[in-house]
């Protein structure tokens, strides 16, 4: 039986970060991956394929709108199979960076098969090799969580793991779940010609976002999608070659006919088949491994990152956690994890950007002792020039200008809000952005204008103007 300094379970974003980092620092590392290829859910079923599909759908949508706007004629129907071929090509290209050979060249021992705990230090891979680790990292990701809807096991339905195998655009698509992934895919299918209905159990969408964002994104998406709010899917059945979804809404049961059903009802961690009970690791009711601020489980030598710990289900968060675990696991550092500067973007069109506290959260934490600086895109020359004026940027600060949160909605908002992430992470005040020269005209100028609002309020709404006026009179 071979013993390692570190065993990493899971070859997704977090696991690969740990394996590469630890091996680069001279550790003896084993990487266990149950699938044929490395890369995890993000590469094969999540971030990468969905963004390729979204980009393809956007090109189709813009072509349609441009022909209307400029008096051109567009013929033919968009071929969704071509979009799915683009998805597969992108995955294959990125896969080269996450190849088995690369990690073997780094000195990582790669084991293919499902890893199960035998005890707190030993892992069995499949039904064969048993390996031992001084320290272990669980980074096995998550999978779609499908609720026990009556009849769901008797029909074919789509999830993020099968949706990119679609060869034809369904005429009618029902999306069960109005979360980020569901909405991104729903809008993309609509742009390829599907009639899409989204069933959402809550009274609105984007419930975790700043309250100013919600009505804007809701209005935009309602132009392309049909929403049924406070709607709970109760049962499904096949009938005359189609699928029928029965949902309950305001006490009534309603049937809706679909050619395909996309289940977008959340995810659950891949921890239930790992025999964690034999390791002594504690999990919560959802199967998430409970971790402390150092990302250690109830067994101090076993760490959990990414979707397995139930914190932030983002690739970039898993990567951040992975870097921290390398230091903590290999060198015994006590680096604490912090999610204060973890942003996220929902890649609908328009995009929604989120960083830190919303205005409501900031008021709950700091009372009225906060400042809000908001600039609409129709006040920024580049957006006006693009004729793309739906959206805004909003920055929430404390009374001294320290950034508490930032939120935006608009085309490619995830790109032009990057500057605020750096400013917050480096503890810059919003006013510092005003002192940075931004090329004109760019979308990023929206943050400069937000910072200018801070200085305008500071310089012209206080005692300084009166003092300046007296000084100028004296100086003359």
């Amino acid at each position: 039986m071979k013993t390692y300094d570190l065993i990493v379970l899971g070859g997704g974003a977090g696991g690969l970060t740990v394996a590469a980092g630890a091996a680069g620092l001279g550790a003896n590392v084993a990487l266990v991956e149950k699938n044929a290829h490395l890369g995890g859910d993000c590469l094969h079923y999540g971030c990468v394929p969905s963004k390729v599909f979204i980009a393809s759908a956007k090109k189709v949508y813009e072509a349609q709108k441009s022909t209307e706007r400029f008096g051109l004629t567009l013929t033919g129907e968009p071929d969704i199979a071509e979009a799915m071929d683009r998805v597969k090509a992108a995955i294959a290209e990125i896969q080269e960076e996450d190849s088995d050979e690369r990690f073997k060249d780094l000195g990582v021992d790669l084991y293919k098969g499902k890893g199960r705990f035998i005890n707190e230090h030993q892992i069995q891979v499949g039904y064969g090799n048993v390996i031992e680790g001084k320290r272990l990292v669980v980074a096995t990701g998550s999978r779609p969580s499908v609720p026990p809807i009556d009849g769901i096991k008797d029909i074919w339905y789509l999830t993020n793991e099968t949706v990119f195998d679609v060869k034809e655009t369904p005429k009618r698509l029902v999306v069960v779940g109005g979360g980020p992934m569901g909405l991104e895919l729903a809008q993309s299918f609509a742009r390829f010609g599907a009639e899409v209905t989204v069933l959402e159990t809550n009274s609105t969408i984007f419930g975790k976002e700043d309250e100013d964002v919600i009505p804007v994104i809701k209005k935009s998406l309602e132009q392309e999608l049909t929403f049924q709010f406070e709607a709970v899917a109760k049962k499904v059945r096949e009938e005359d070659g189609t699928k029928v979804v029965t949902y309950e809404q305001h006490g009534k049961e309603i049937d809706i006919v679909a050619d395909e059903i996309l289940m977008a009802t959340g995810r659950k961690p891949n921890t239930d088949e790992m025999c964690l009970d034999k390791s002594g690791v504690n999990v919560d009711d959802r199967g998430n491994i409970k971790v402390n601020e150092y990302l250690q489980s109830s067994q101090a030598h076993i760490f959990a990152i990414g979707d397995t710990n139930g914190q932030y289900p983002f690739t970039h968060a898993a990567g951040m956690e992975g870097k921290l675990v390398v230091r903590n696991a290999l060198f015994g550092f006590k680096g604490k994890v912090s999610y204060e500067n973890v942003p996220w973007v929902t890649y609908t069109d328009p995009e929604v950007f989120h960083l830190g506290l919303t205005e409501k959260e900031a008021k709950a934490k700091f009372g009225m002792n906060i400042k809000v600086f908001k600039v609409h895109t129709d006040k920024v020359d580049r957006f006006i020039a693009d004729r793309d004026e739906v959206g805004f940027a909003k920055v929430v600060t404390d009374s001294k200008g320290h950034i508490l949160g930032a939120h935006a909605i608009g085309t490619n908002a995830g790109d032009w809000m990057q500057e605020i992430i750096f400013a917050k992470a480096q503890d810059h005040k919003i006013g510092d952005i005003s002192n940075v020269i931004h090329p004109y005209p760019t979308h990023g100028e929206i943050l400069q204008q937000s910072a200018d609002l801070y200085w305008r309020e500071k310089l012209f709404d206080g005692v300084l103007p009166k003092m300046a006026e007296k000084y100028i009179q004296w100086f003359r």
Side-chain angles (χ1 to χ4, degrees):
M1 180 172 59
K2 194 165 183 178
T3 299
Y4 293 91
D5 298 318
L6 188 68
I7 295 176
V8 181
L9 299 166
L16 295 183
T17 298
V18 176
L25 291 171
N28 188 16
V29 180
L31 175 60
V32 181
E33 169 55 44
K34 67 177 181 179
N35 294 317
H37 300 289
L38 300 175
D41 186 78
C42 176
L43 174 57
H44 297 287
Y45 310 116
C47 316
V48 172
S50 65
K51 303 313 167 284
V52 180
F53 185 40
I54 289 168
S56 299
K58 188 172 183 178
K59 290 181 185 297
V60 170
Y61 180 77
E62 289 176 343
Q64 294 168 339
K65 290 299 180 182
S66 294
T67 56
E68 295 173 8
R69 188 175 298 115
F70 296 106
L72 302 174
T73 300
L74 185 68
T75 61
E77 297 293 331
D79 185 1
I80 202 169
E82 171 61 25
M84 299 312 178
D85 287 342
R86 292 167 66 91
V87 166
K88 292 175 175 59
I91 291 173
E93 188 171 338
I94 296 174
Q95 180 70 67
E96 295 179 8
E97 295 297 316
D98 292 339
S99 66
D100 292 3
E101 290 71 23
R102 179 194 168 209
F103 282 85
K104 289 176 181 177
D105 290 344
L106 289 172
V108 175
D109 285 353
L110 187 57
Y111 294 86
K112 291 296 182 69
K114 190 174 294 184
R116 299 179 179 85
F117 280 91
I118 295 177
N119 57 45
E120 62 191 56
H121 283 282
Q122 295 179 349
I123 298 294
Q124 183 175 30
V125 182
Y127 297 98
N129 291 307
V130 175
I131 55 178
E132 183 170 285
K134 297 177 182 177
R135 291 174 180 82
L136 301 93
V137 179
V138 182
T140 48
S142 62
R143 65 184 186 275
S145 176
V146 179
I149 299 170
D150 185 21
I152 193 68
K153 293 182 179 180
D154 300 323
I155 69 165
W156 169 257
Y157 57 87
L158 301 172
T159 70
N160 75 297
E161 294 184 351
T162 58
V163 70
F164 302 111
D165 293 325
V166 168
K167 301 300 182 184
E168 296 180 358
T169 302
K171 183 179 179 181
R172 296 158 297 186
L173 175 68
V174 170
V175 179
V176 182
M181 186 273 287
L183 293 176
E184 290 173 358
L185 294 176
Q187 185 181 39
S188 296
F189 271 101
R191 291 180 167 187
F192 272 96
E195 181 183 307
V196 183
T197 300
V198 179
L199 304 182
E200 170 55 44
T201 58
N202 294 310
S203 58
T204 189
I205 50 176
F206 286 85
K208 293 184 178 180
E209 300 303 329
D210 189 272
E211 290 184 342
D212 285 353
V213 167
I214 297 172
V216 181
I217 187 62
K218 183 172 177 286
K219 182 179 179 180
S220 293
L221 292 179
E222 283 178 334
Q223 296 175 28
E224 302 181 63
L225 308 174
T226 298
F227 287 95
Q228 296 296 339
F229 293 108
E230 298 181 4
V232 180
K234 305 297 289 185
K235 55 186 175 182
V236 296
R237 68 182 188 275
E238 289 188 331
E239 186 176 284
D240 298 329
T242 63
K243 300 176 176 69
V244 180
V245 181
T246 302
Y247 63 93
E248 185 178 303
Q249 185 181 53
H250 307 145
K252 297 181 179 180
E253 286 197 349
I254 304 168
D255 286 347
I256 182 170
V257 179
D259 298 292
E260 293 289 355
I261 300 171
L262 172 62
M263 299 300 297
T265 47
R267 303 185 65 77
K268 58 183 177 182
N270 292 323
T271 57
D272 50 343
E273 297 180 353
M274 298 179 62
C275 301
L276 282 173
D277 55 316
K278 295 182 179 180
S279 70
V281 168
N282 293 332
V283 298
D284 63 18
D285 293 339
R286 291 180 50 82
N288 298 307
I289 296 175
K290 297 179 180 180
V291 295
N292 62 16
E293 57 195 352
Y294 310 113
L295 297 174
Q296 293 170 300
S297 70
S298 51
Q299 294 281 9
H301 67 285
I302 300 177
F303 298 78
I305 63 174
D307 290 3
T308 61
N309 66 27
Q311 299 300 313
Y312 282 75
F314 307 120
T315 296
H316 48 283
M320 177 271 291
E321 292 173 338
K323 292 175 183 177
L324 180 67
V325 161
V326 170
R327 300 195 300 269
N328 288 354
L330 291 187
F331 302 107
F333 292 162
K334 287 292 187 179
K336 296 181 180 180
V337 67
S338 172
Y339 300 102
E340 289 186 2
N341 299 316
V342 175
W344 66 75
V345 179
T346 302
Y347 296 92
T348 49
D349 185 16
E351 291 181 358
V352 174
F353 171 91
H354 182 117
L355 173 68
L357 301 178
T358 64
E359 181 180 353
K360 184 177 180 180
E361 291 168 341
K363 286 180 178 177
K365 188 172 182 178
F366 298 98
M368 301 305 293
N369 197 29
I370 65 168
K371 302 283 187 180
V372 177
F373 305 97
K374 183 178 179 182
V375 175
H376 288 269
T377 52
D378 61 5
K379 302 300 181 184
V380 180
D381 289 356
R382 179 56 188 270
F383 287 101
I384 296 172
D386 291 345
R387 314 311 295 158
D388 184 11
E389 302 172 35
V390 175
F392 63 82
K394 177 178 179 178
V395 183
V396 183
T397 75
D398 65 13
S399 60
K400 296 182 179 179
H402 293 285
I403 300 164
L404 302 175
H407 307 275
I409 179 170
T411 303
N412 299 323
D415 293 329
W416 40 263
M417 289 295 287
Q418 289 293 308
E419 186 177 16
I420 201 75
I421 304 172
F422 176 82
K424 185 175 186 302
Q426 299 300 315
D427 199 29
H428 285 285
K429 295 182 179 181
I430 185 176
D432 294 342
I433 295 177
S434 182
N435 298 323
V436 177
I437 300 174
H438 294 73
Y440 176 88
T442 60
H443 301 106
E445 187 189 352
I446 196 168
L447 284 175
Q448 184 178 24
Q449 288 193 24
S450 300
D452 290 346
L453 290 177
Y454 166 81
W455 283 116
R456 192 173 304 162
E457 179 179 304
K458 193 174 184 67
L459 295 177
F460 301 117
D461 293 345
V463 297
L464 189 58
K466 296 179 180 179
M467 295 174 61
E469 181 182 359
K470 291 181 178 180
Y471 175 80
I472 291 170
Q473 292 173 349
W474 171 82
F475 182 72
R476 288 175 181 172

